[in-house]
Amino acid sequence: MAIGAFGTLLTAAYMLIVVRRVCMGAVPQQAPPTLADVHGYELAAWTPLVTLTVLAGLWPRALLGLTDPAVQQLLAGGTR
């Protein structure tokens, strides 16, 4: 199973490299990438999404606490 999982990861990595080369050509040799092509409004939209995703991953009880009463009611067969 471990060999199969490793093979799957290698295949996915290879396919991503191939698709990138086919769609975008060779990678030019230059300085490390920067965020120069990210506009302020894009950063303003991404920041809350990334923050909430990290918080939900580190502290899932906050999100599950909001949905738990509704889920419990649905599992019990109740309706609103």
Side-chain angles (χ1 to χ4, degrees):
M1 188 167 74
I3 293 171
F6 183 68
T8 301
L9 290 175
L10 285 178
T11 303
Y14 177 72
M15 289 302 296
L16 287 173
I17 291 169
V18 168
V19 169
R20 184 188 66 198
R21 287 184 183 168
V22 167
C23 294
M24 299 182 170
V27 178
Q29 299 297 333
Q30 60 183 4
T34 62
L35 294 178
D37 59 342
V38 176
H39 299 295
Y41 62 88
E42 293 173 332
L43 195 60
W46 293 343
T47 301
L49 294 174
V50 170
T51 303
L52 290 173
T53 302
V54 170
L55 284 175
L58 294 175
W59 192 35
R61 186 174 298 265
L63 184 61
L64 294 175
L66 295 172
T67 60
D68 189 56
V71 171
Q72 293 300 326
Q73 186 177 8
L74 285 173
L75 289 175
T79 61
R80 284 193 150 201

